[in-house]
PDB file of all heavy atoms in Angstrom:
ATOM      1  N   VAL A   1     247.347  64.804  28.697  1.00  0.00           N
ATOM      2  CA  VAL A   1     246.130  65.599  28.485  1.00  0.00           C
ATOM      3  C   VAL A   1     245.146  65.364  29.625  1.00  0.00           C
ATOM      4  O   VAL A   1     244.602  66.314  30.212  1.00  0.00           O
ATOM      5  CB  VAL A   1     245.481  65.238  27.130  1.00  0.00           C
ATOM      6  CG1 VAL A   1     244.052  65.768  27.063  1.00  0.00           C
ATOM      7  CG2 VAL A   1     246.296  65.807  25.981  1.00  0.00           C
ATOM      8  N   ARG A   2     244.910  64.103  29.962  1.00  0.00           N
ATOM      9  CA  ARG A   2     243.969  63.778  31.048  1.00  0.00           C
ATOM     10  C   ARG A   2     244.482  64.276  32.388  1.00  0.00           C
ATOM     11  O   ARG A   2     243.699  64.732  33.228  1.00  0.00           O
ATOM     12  CB  ARG A   2     243.730  62.267  31.105  1.00  0.00           C
ATOM     13  CG  ARG A   2     242.886  61.753  29.950  1.00  0.00           C
ATOM     14  CD  ARG A   2     242.455  60.317  30.165  1.00  0.00           C
ATOM     15  NE  ARG A   2     241.582  59.866  29.093  1.00  0.00           N
ATOM     16  CZ  ARG A   2     240.273  60.075  29.051  1.00  0.00           C
ATOM     17  NH1 ARG A   2     239.692  60.743  30.037  1.00  0.00           N
ATOM     18  NH2 ARG A   2     239.554  59.633  28.046  1.00  0.00           N
ATOM     19  N   LYS A   3     245.787  64.215  32.589  1.00  0.00           N
ATOM     20  CA  LYS A   3     246.361  64.700  33.841  1.00  0.00           C
ATOM     21  C   LYS A   3     246.108  66.200  34.000  1.00  0.00           C
ATOM     22  O   LYS A   3     245.758  66.679  35.093  1.00  0.00           O
ATOM     23  CB  LYS A   3     247.867  64.405  33.869  1.00  0.00           C
ATOM     24  CG  LYS A   3     248.534  64.725  35.198  1.00  0.00           C
ATOM     25  CD  LYS A   3     250.041  64.543  35.122  1.00  0.00           C
ATOM     26  CE  LYS A   3     250.413  63.101  34.875  1.00  0.00           C
ATOM     27  NZ  LYS A   3     251.898  62.912  34.896  1.00  0.00           N
ATOM     28  N   THR A   4     246.285  66.948  32.920  1.00  0.00           N
ATOM     29  CA  THR A   4     246.059  68.400  32.956  1.00  0.00           C
ATOM     30  C   THR A   4     244.592  68.719  33.250  1.00  0.00           C
ATOM     31  O   THR A   4     244.279  69.580  34.082  1.00  0.00           O
ATOM     32  CB  THR A   4     246.470  69.035  31.614  1.00  0.00           C
ATOM     33  OG1 THR A   4     247.848  68.772  31.363  1.00  0.00           O
ATOM     34  CG2 THR A   4     246.246  70.537  31.630  1.00  0.00           C
ATOM     35  N   VAL A   5     243.689  68.020  32.558  1.00  0.00           N
ATOM     36  CA  VAL A   5     242.255  68.242  32.774  1.00  0.00           C
ATOM     37  C   VAL A   5     241.851  67.832  34.187  1.00  0.00           C
ATOM     38  O   VAL A   5     241.124  68.566  34.876  1.00  0.00           O
ATOM     39  CB  VAL A   5     241.423  67.469  31.722  1.00  0.00           C
ATOM     40  CG1 VAL A   5     239.927  67.548  32.047  1.00  0.00           C
ATOM     41  CG2 VAL A   5     241.684  68.018  30.323  1.00  0.00           C
ATOM     42  N   ASN A   6     242.334  66.685  34.652  1.00  0.00           N
ATOM     43  CA  ASN A   6     241.998  66.213  36.002  1.00  0.00           C
ATOM     44  C   ASN A   6     242.498  67.165  37.081  1.00  0.00           C
ATOM     45  O   ASN A   6     241.841  67.352  38.115  1.00  0.00           O
ATOM     46  CB  ASN A   6     242.576  64.816  36.239  1.00  0.00           C
ATOM     47  CG  ASN A   6     241.842  63.739  35.464  1.00  0.00           C
ATOM     48  OD1 ASN A   6     240.713  63.959  35.028  1.00  0.00           O
ATOM     49  ND2 ASN A   6     242.471  62.591  35.278  1.00  0.00           N
ATOM     50  N   ARG A   7     243.657  67.772  36.830  1.00  0.00           N
ATOM     51  CA  ARG A   7     244.201  68.722  37.804  1.00  0.00           C
ATOM     52  C   ARG A   7     243.266  69.920  37.969  1.00  0.00           C
ATOM     53  O   ARG A   7     242.978  70.350  39.093  1.00  0.00           O
ATOM     54  CB  ARG A   7     245.591  69.181  37.351  1.00  0.00           C
ATOM     55  CG  ARG A   7     246.358  69.978  38.399  1.00  0.00           C
ATOM     56  CD  ARG A   7     247.691  70.449  37.869  1.00  0.00           C
ATOM     57  NE  ARG A   7     248.536  69.325  37.471  1.00  0.00           N
ATOM     58  CZ  ARG A   7     248.986  69.127  36.238  1.00  0.00           C
ATOM     59  NH1 ARG A   7     248.675  69.979  35.265  1.00  0.00           N
ATOM     60  NH2 ARG A   7     249.749  68.097  35.971  1.00  0.00           N
ATOM     61  N   LEU A   8     242.767  70.436  36.849  1.00  0.00           N
ATOM     62  CA  LEU A   8     241.834  71.568  36.920  1.00  0.00           C
ATOM     63  C   LEU A   8     240.497  71.140  37.515  1.00  0.00           C
ATOM     64  O   LEU A   8     239.891  71.880  38.295  1.00  0.00           O
ATOM     65  CB  LEU A   8     241.629  72.157  35.518  1.00  0.00           C
ATOM     66  CG  LEU A   8     242.688  73.150  35.046  1.00  0.00           C
ATOM     67  CD1 LEU A   8     242.515  73.451  33.562  1.00  0.00           C
ATOM     68  CD2 LEU A   8     242.633  74.436  35.858  1.00  0.00           C
ATOM     69  N   GLN A   9     240.029  69.948  37.165  1.00  0.00           N
ATOM     70  CA  GLN A   9     238.769  69.459  37.724  1.00  0.00           C
ATOM     71  C   GLN A   9     238.864  69.283  39.235  1.00  0.00           C
ATOM     72  O   GLN A   9     237.904  69.573  39.958  1.00  0.00           O
ATOM     73  CB  GLN A   9     238.376  68.132  37.065  1.00  0.00           C
ATOM     74  CG  GLN A   9     237.894  68.283  35.633  1.00  0.00           C
ATOM     75  CD  GLN A   9     237.494  66.961  35.019  1.00  0.00           C
ATOM     76  OE1 GLN A   9     238.183  65.954  35.186  1.00  0.00           O
ATOM     77  NE2 GLN A   9     236.387  66.947  34.303  1.00  0.00           N
ATOM     78  N   THR A  10     240.006  68.822  39.716  1.00  0.00           N
ATOM     79  CA  THR A  10     240.209  68.671  41.164  1.00  0.00           C
ATOM     80  C   THR A  10     240.151  70.015  41.862  1.00  0.00           C
ATOM     81  O   THR A  10     239.554  70.156  42.939  1.00  0.00           O
ATOM     82  CB  THR A  10     241.563  67.992  41.438  1.00  0.00           C
ATOM     83  OG1 THR A  10     241.596  66.706  40.800  1.00  0.00           O
ATOM     84  CG2 THR A  10     241.800  67.808  42.925  1.00  0.00           C
ATOM     85  N   ARG A  11     240.738  71.022  41.249  1.00  0.00           N
ATOM     86  CA  ARG A  11     240.698  72.365  41.832  1.00  0.00           C
ATOM     87  C   ARG A  11     239.266  72.915  41.836  1.00  0.00           C
ATOM     88  O   ARG A  11     238.856  73.598  42.791  1.00  0.00           O
ATOM     89  CB  ARG A  11     241.627  73.302  41.052  1.00  0.00           C
ATOM     90  CG  ARG A  11     243.113  72.971  41.190  1.00  0.00           C
ATOM     91  CD  ARG A  11     243.965  73.890  40.339  1.00  0.00           C
ATOM     92  NE  ARG A  11     243.870  75.278  40.797  1.00  0.00           N
ATOM     93  CZ  ARG A  11     244.367  76.314  40.120  1.00  0.00           C
ATOM     94  NH1 ARG A  11     244.984  76.108  38.943  1.00  0.00           N
ATOM     95  NH2 ARG A  11     244.246  77.533  40.585  1.00  0.00           N
ATOM     96  N   ILE A  12     238.507  72.622  40.785  1.00  0.00           N
ATOM     97  CA  ILE A  12     237.104  73.057  40.731  1.00  0.00           C
ATOM     98  C   ILE A  12     236.300  72.380  41.833  1.00  0.00           C
ATOM     99  O   ILE A  12     235.481  73.018  42.524  1.00  0.00           O
ATOM    100  CB  ILE A  12     236.486  72.760  39.351  1.00  0.00           C
ATOM    101  CG1 ILE A  12     237.140  73.624  38.270  1.00  0.00           C
ATOM    102  CG2 ILE A  12     234.975  72.996  39.360  1.00  0.00           C
ATOM    103  CD1 ILE A  12     236.755  73.240  36.852  1.00  0.00           C
ATOM    104  N   ALA A  13     236.504  71.074  42.025  1.00  0.00           N
ATOM    105  CA  ALA A  13     235.788  70.333  43.070  1.00  0.00           C
ATOM    106  C   ALA A  13     236.121  70.884  44.456  1.00  0.00           C
ATOM    107  O   ALA A  13     235.236  71.043  45.303  1.00  0.00           O
ATOM    108  CB  ALA A  13     236.133  68.848  42.982  1.00  0.00           C
ATOM    109  N   LYS A  14     237.390  71.185  44.688  1.00  0.00           N
ATOM    110  CA  LYS A  14     237.820  71.735  45.983  1.00  0.00           C
ATOM    111  C   LYS A  14     237.175  73.097  46.231  1.00  0.00           C
ATOM    112  O   LYS A  14     236.665  73.367  47.328  1.00  0.00           O
ATOM    113  CB  LYS A  14     239.344  71.856  46.016  1.00  0.00           C
ATOM    114  CG  LYS A  14     239.912  72.360  47.331  1.00  0.00           C
ATOM    115  CD  LYS A  14     241.433  72.335  47.291  1.00  0.00           C
ATOM    116  CE  LYS A  14     242.041  72.765  48.631  1.00  0.00           C
ATOM    117  NZ  LYS A  14     241.794  74.189  48.921  1.00  0.00           N
ATOM    118  N   ALA A  15     237.178  73.958  45.223  1.00  0.00           N
ATOM    119  CA  ALA A  15     236.548  75.273  45.363  1.00  0.00           C
ATOM    120  C   ALA A  15     235.036  75.143  45.578  1.00  0.00           C
ATOM    121  O   ALA A  15     234.436  75.941  46.310  1.00  0.00           O
ATOM    122  CB  ALA A  15     236.838  76.119  44.128  1.00  0.00           C
ATOM    123  N   THR A  16     234.422  74.142  44.958  1.00  0.00           N
ATOM    124  CA  THR A  16     232.988  73.907  45.147  1.00  0.00           C
ATOM    125  C   THR A  16     232.692  73.500  46.586  1.00  0.00           C
ATOM    126  O   THR A  16     231.745  74.000  47.204  1.00  0.00           O
ATOM    127  CB  THR A  16     232.488  72.813  44.179  1.00  0.00           C
ATOM    128  OG1 THR A  16     232.743  73.220  42.836  1.00  0.00           O
ATOM    129  CG2 THR A  16     230.993  72.579  44.358  1.00  0.00           C
ATOM    130  N   ARG A  17     233.490  72.568  47.135  1.00  0.00           N
ATOM    131  CA  ARG A  17     233.303  72.147  48.527  1.00  0.00           C
ATOM    132  C   ARG A  17     233.432  73.321  49.487  1.00  0.00           C
ATOM    133  O   ARG A  17     232.721  73.403  50.490  1.00  0.00           O
ATOM    134  CB  ARG A  17     234.319  71.061  48.895  1.00  0.00           C
ATOM    135  CG  ARG A  17     233.983  69.686  48.372  1.00  0.00           C
ATOM    136  CD  ARG A  17     234.832  68.609  49.053  1.00  0.00           C
ATOM    137  NE  ARG A  17     236.251  68.818  48.845  1.00  0.00           N
ATOM    138  CZ  ARG A  17     236.936  68.342  47.818  1.00  0.00           C
ATOM    139  NH1 ARG A  17     236.313  67.606  46.894  1.00  0.00           N
ATOM    140  NH2 ARG A  17     238.232  68.566  47.696  1.00  0.00           N
ATOM    141  N   GLU A  18     234.342  74.236  49.159  1.00  0.00           N
ATOM    142  CA  GLU A  18     234.561  75.406  50.016  1.00  0.00           C
ATOM    143  C   GLU A  18     233.612  76.551  49.687  1.00  0.00           C
ATOM    144  O   GLU A  18     233.699  77.625  50.294  1.00  0.00           O
ATOM    145  CB  GLU A  18     236.012  75.862  49.874  1.00  0.00           C
ATOM    146  CG  GLU A  18     237.020  74.828  50.366  1.00  0.00           C
ATOM    147  CD  GLU A  18     238.459  75.193  50.033  1.00  0.00           C
ATOM    148  OE1 GLU A  18     238.662  76.210  49.323  1.00  0.00           O
ATOM    149  OE2 GLU A  18     239.374  74.471  50.474  1.00  0.00           O
ATOM    150  N   GLU A  19     232.724  76.320  48.706  1.00  0.00           N
ATOM    151  CA  GLU A  19     231.728  77.315  48.279  1.00  0.00           C
ATOM    152  C   GLU A  19     232.363  78.621  47.832  1.00  0.00           C
ATOM    153  O   GLU A  19     231.816  79.709  48.045  1.00  0.00           O
ATOM    154  CB  GLU A  19     230.693  77.546  49.381  1.00  0.00           C
ATOM    155  CG  GLU A  19     229.901  76.294  49.731  1.00  0.00           C
ATOM    156  CD  GLU A  19     228.787  76.543  50.730  1.00  0.00           C
ATOM    157  OE1 GLU A  19     228.638  77.720  51.172  1.00  0.00           O
ATOM    158  OE2 GLU A  19     228.070  75.596  51.067  1.00  0.00           O
ATOM    159  N   LYS A  20     233.498  78.527  47.194  1.00  0.00           N
ATOM    160  CA  LYS A  20     234.163  79.700  46.622  1.00  0.00           C
ATOM    161  C   LYS A  20     233.734  79.813  45.158  1.00  0.00           C
ATOM    162  O   LYS A  20     234.458  79.437  44.234  1.00  0.00           O
ATOM    163  CB  LYS A  20     235.686  79.558  46.738  1.00  0.00           C
ATOM    164  CG  LYS A  20     236.182  79.507  48.177  1.00  0.00           C
ATOM    165  CD  LYS A  20     237.698  79.336  48.228  1.00  0.00           C
ATOM    166  CE  LYS A  20     238.206  79.313  49.664  1.00  0.00           C
ATOM    167  NZ  LYS A  20     239.680  79.108  49.740  1.00  0.00           N
ATOM    168  N   TRP A  21     232.537  80.343  44.938  1.00  0.00           N
ATOM    169  CA  TRP A  21     231.909  80.287  43.621  1.00  0.00           C
ATOM    170  C   TRP A  21     232.596  81.161  42.583  1.00  0.00           C
ATOM    171  O   TRP A  21     232.594  80.824  41.390  1.00  0.00           O
ATOM    172  CB  TRP A  21     230.425  80.637  43.747  1.00  0.00           C
ATOM    173  CG  TRP A  21     229.717  79.676  44.667  1.00  0.00           C
ATOM    174  CD1 TRP A  21     229.185  79.941  45.891  1.00  0.00           C
ATOM    175  CD2 TRP A  21     229.514  78.270  44.436  1.00  0.00           C
ATOM    176  NE1 TRP A  21     228.657  78.800  46.437  1.00  0.00           N
ATOM    177  CE2 TRP A  21     228.833  77.765  45.570  1.00  0.00           C
ATOM    178  CE3 TRP A  21     229.837  77.400  43.394  1.00  0.00           C
ATOM    179  CZ2 TRP A  21     228.477  76.417  45.685  1.00  0.00           C
ATOM    180  CZ3 TRP A  21     229.485  76.059  43.495  1.00  0.00           C
ATOM    181  CH2 TRP A  21     228.816  75.583  44.628  1.00  0.00           C
ATOM    182  N   ASN A  22     233.187  82.262  43.009  1.00  0.00           N
ATOM    183  CA  ASN A  22     233.938  83.087  42.050  1.00  0.00           C
ATOM    184  C   ASN A  22     235.177  82.344  41.552  1.00  0.00           C
ATOM    185  O   ASN A  22     235.533  82.426  40.368  1.00  0.00           O
ATOM    186  CB  ASN A  22     234.350  84.413  42.689  1.00  0.00           C
ATOM    187  CG  ASN A  22     233.182  85.364  42.853  1.00  0.00           C
ATOM    188  OD1 ASN A  22     232.213  85.305  42.088  1.00  0.00           O
ATOM    189  ND2 ASN A  22     233.244  86.232  43.847  1.00  0.00           N
ATOM    190  N   LEU A  23     235.811  81.596  42.462  1.00  0.00           N
ATOM    191  CA  LEU A  23     236.964  80.798  42.077  1.00  0.00           C
ATOM    192  C   LEU A  23     236.535  79.656  41.157  1.00  0.00           C
ATOM    193  O   LEU A  23     237.231  79.339  40.186  1.00  0.00           O
ATOM    194  CB  LEU A  23     237.669  80.249  43.321  1.00  0.00           C
ATOM    195  CG  LEU A  23     238.892  79.355  43.070  1.00  0.00           C
ATOM    196  CD1 LEU A  23     239.947  80.100  42.258  1.00  0.00           C
ATOM    197  CD2 LEU A  23     239.473  78.857  44.399  1.00  0.00           C
ATOM    198  N   VAL A  24     235.392  79.042  41.458  1.00  0.00           N
ATOM    199  CA  VAL A  24     234.856  77.988  40.594  1.00  0.00           C
ATOM    200  C   VAL A  24     234.681  78.519  39.176  1.00  0.00           C
ATOM    201  O   VAL A  24     235.074  77.866  38.197  1.00  0.00           O
ATOM    202  CB  VAL A  24     233.503  77.461  41.137  1.00  0.00           C
ATOM    203  CG1 VAL A  24     232.809  76.574  40.102  1.00  0.00           C
ATOM    204  CG2 VAL A  24     233.708  76.679  42.421  1.00  0.00           C
ATOM    205  N   LYS A  25     234.111  79.702  39.073  1.00  0.00           N
ATOM    206  CA  LYS A  25     233.863  80.300  37.759  1.00  0.00           C
ATOM    207  C   LYS A  25     235.158  80.542  37.004  1.00  0.00           C
ATOM    208  O   LYS A  25     235.263  80.264  35.800  1.00  0.00           O
ATOM    209  CB  LYS A  25     233.089  81.610  37.940  1.00  0.00           C
ATOM    210  CG  LYS A  25     232.608  82.242  36.651  1.00  0.00           C
ATOM    211  CD  LYS A  25     231.749  83.466  36.945  1.00  0.00           C
ATOM    212  CE  LYS A  25     231.239  84.091  35.654  1.00  0.00           C
ATOM    213  NZ  LYS A  25     230.392  85.288  35.926  1.00  0.00           N
ATOM    214  N   ARG A  26     236.185  81.050  37.709  1.00  0.00           N
ATOM    215  CA  ARG A  26     237.467  81.333  37.058  1.00  0.00           C
ATOM    216  C   ARG A  26     238.148  80.035  36.600  1.00  0.00           C
ATOM    217  O   ARG A  26     238.725  79.970  35.507  1.00  0.00           O
ATOM    218  CB  ARG A  26     238.387  82.111  38.004  1.00  0.00           C
ATOM    219  CG  ARG A  26     237.934  83.532  38.292  1.00  0.00           C
ATOM    220  CD  ARG A  26     239.069  84.378  38.846  1.00  0.00           C
ATOM    221  NE  ARG A  26     239.561  83.862  40.116  1.00  0.00           N
ATOM    222  CZ  ARG A  26     239.063  84.189  41.309  1.00  0.00           C
ATOM    223  NH1 ARG A  26     238.027  85.023  41.380  1.00  0.00           N
ATOM    224  NH2 ARG A  26     239.582  83.703  42.408  1.00  0.00           N
ATOM    225  N   LEU A  27     238.085  79.020  37.438  1.00  0.00           N
ATOM    226  CA  LEU A  27     238.711  77.742  37.092  1.00  0.00           C
ATOM    227  C   LEU A  27     237.979  77.053  35.942  1.00  0.00           C
ATOM    228  O   LEU A  27     238.613  76.436  35.073  1.00  0.00           O
ATOM    229  CB  LEU A  27     238.732  76.823  38.318  1.00  0.00           C
ATOM    230  CG  LEU A  27     239.665  77.245  39.458  1.00  0.00           C
ATOM    231  CD1 LEU A  27     239.423  76.390  40.692  1.00  0.00           C
ATOM    232  CD2 LEU A  27     241.136  77.146  39.015  1.00  0.00           C
ATOM    233  N   GLN A  28     236.656  77.174  35.916  1.00  0.00           N
ATOM    234  CA  GLN A  28     235.895  76.627  34.793  1.00  0.00           C
ATOM    235  C   GLN A  28     236.272  77.329  33.489  1.00  0.00           C
ATOM    236  O   GLN A  28     236.365  76.684  32.433  1.00  0.00           O
ATOM    237  CB  GLN A  28     234.399  76.765  35.050  1.00  0.00           C
ATOM    238  CG  GLN A  28     233.847  75.786  36.068  1.00  0.00           C
ATOM    239  CD  GLN A  28     232.348  75.929  36.234  1.00  0.00           C
ATOM    240  OE1 GLN A  28     231.819  77.050  36.299  1.00  0.00           O
ATOM    241  NE2 GLN A  28     231.648  74.816  36.303  1.00  0.00           N
ATOM    242  N   TYR A  29     236.495  78.623  33.577  1.00  0.00           N
ATOM    243  CA  TYR A  29     236.915  79.374  32.389  1.00  0.00           C
ATOM    244  C   TYR A  29     238.271  78.857  31.888  1.00  0.00           C
ATOM    245  O   TYR A  29     238.460  78.640  30.680  1.00  0.00           O
ATOM    246  CB  TYR A  29     236.993  80.868  32.707  1.00  0.00           C
ATOM    247  CG  TYR A  29     237.406  81.720  31.526  1.00  0.00           C
ATOM    248  CD1 TYR A  29     236.437  82.243  30.659  1.00  0.00           C
ATOM    249  CD2 TYR A  29     238.753  81.997  31.267  1.00  0.00           C
ATOM    250  CE1 TYR A  29     236.807  83.013  29.567  1.00  0.00           C
ATOM    251  CE2 TYR A  29     239.126  82.763  30.188  1.00  0.00           C
ATOM    252  CZ  TYR A  29     238.156  83.272  29.337  1.00  0.00           C
ATOM    253  OH  TYR A  29     238.526  84.021  28.247  1.00  0.00           O
ATOM    254  N   LEU A  30     239.195  78.645  32.819  1.00  0.00           N
ATOM    255  CA  LEU A  30     240.507  78.119  32.437  1.00  0.00           C
ATOM    256  C   LEU A  30     240.380  76.757  31.766  1.00  0.00           C
ATOM    257  O   LEU A  30     241.046  76.468  30.764  1.00  0.00           O
ATOM    258  CB  LEU A  30     241.395  77.993  33.678  1.00  0.00           C
ATOM    259  CG  LEU A  30     241.950  79.282  34.289  1.00  0.00           C
ATOM    260  CD1 LEU A  30     242.744  78.965  35.550  1.00  0.00           C
ATOM    261  CD2 LEU A  30     242.843  80.007  33.277  1.00  0.00           C
ATOM    262  N   LEU A  31     239.489  75.920  32.301  1.00  0.00           N
ATOM    263  CA  LEU A  31     239.330  74.571  31.755  1.00  0.00           C
ATOM    264  C   LEU A  31     238.713  74.603  30.359  1.00  0.00           C
ATOM    265  O   LEU A  31     239.212  73.948  29.436  1.00  0.00           O
ATOM    266  CB  LEU A  31     238.460  73.736  32.700  1.00  0.00           C
ATOM    267  CG  LEU A  31     238.194  72.284  32.278  1.00  0.00           C
ATOM    268  CD1 LEU A  31     239.491  71.530  32.062  1.00  0.00           C
ATOM    269  CD2 LEU A  31     237.339  71.570  33.307  1.00  0.00           C
ATOM    270  N   THR A  32     237.630  75.352  30.194  1.00  0.00           N
ATOM    271  CA  THR A  32     236.940  75.359  28.899  1.00  0.00           C
ATOM    272  C   THR A  32     237.728  76.086  27.810  1.00  0.00           C
ATOM    273  O   THR A  32     237.392  75.965  26.636  1.00  0.00           O
ATOM    274  CB  THR A  32     235.549  76.003  29.022  1.00  0.00           C
ATOM    275  OG1 THR A  32     235.669  77.325  29.587  1.00  0.00           O
ATOM    276  CG2 THR A  32     234.627  75.162  29.897  1.00  0.00           C
ATOM    277  N   HIS A  33     238.753  76.820  28.204  1.00  0.00           N
ATOM    278  CA  HIS A  33     239.591  77.502  27.217  1.00  0.00           C
ATOM    279  C   HIS A  33     240.967  76.852  27.086  1.00  0.00           C
ATOM    280  O   HIS A  33     241.827  77.378  26.382  1.00  0.00           O
ATOM    281  CB  HIS A  33     239.745  78.986  27.577  1.00  0.00           C
ATOM    282  CG  HIS A  33     238.493  79.778  27.380  1.00  0.00           C
ATOM    283  ND1 HIS A  33     237.408  79.684  28.242  1.00  0.00           N
ATOM    284  CD2 HIS A  33     238.118  80.656  26.411  1.00  0.00           C
ATOM    285  CE1 HIS A  33     236.441  80.491  27.811  1.00  0.00           C
ATOM    286  NE2 HIS A  33     236.843  81.078  26.712  1.00  0.00           N
ATOM    287  N   SER A  34     241.161  75.729  27.764  1.00  0.00           N
ATOM    288  CA  SER A  34     242.471  75.078  27.711  1.00  0.00           C
ATOM    289  C   SER A  34     242.582  74.169  26.495  1.00  0.00           C
ATOM    290  O   SER A  34     241.612  73.538  26.066  1.00  0.00           O
ATOM    291  CB  SER A  34     242.711  74.269  28.992  1.00  0.00           C
ATOM    292  OG  SER A  34     241.984  73.058  28.978  1.00  0.00           O
TER     293      SER A  34
END
């Protein structure tokens, strides 16, 4: 469970660093609905 959540959180952090805010939003949606 933690591995799955951490994987999505890592992708969110990477998209944040790259300032890809639409991608951040989509990944957050995936996480909060997982």
Side-chain angles (χ1 to χ4, degrees):
V1 165
R2 288 191 177 276
K3 187 186 295 184
T4 301
V5 173
N6 288 341
R7 190 182 300 119
L8 277 169
Q9 288 181 317
T10 301
R11 293 177 65 190
I12 293 171
K14 182 175 183 292
T16 301
R17 282 194 300 271
E18 296 171 355
E19 298 185 359
K20 297 179 179 178
W21 300 112
N22 287 332
L23 179 58
V24 169
K25 188 175 181 180
R26 291 198 298 272
L27 291 171
Q28 285 183 317
Y29 181 90
L30 287 177
L31 180 56
T32 55
H33 289 74
S34 77

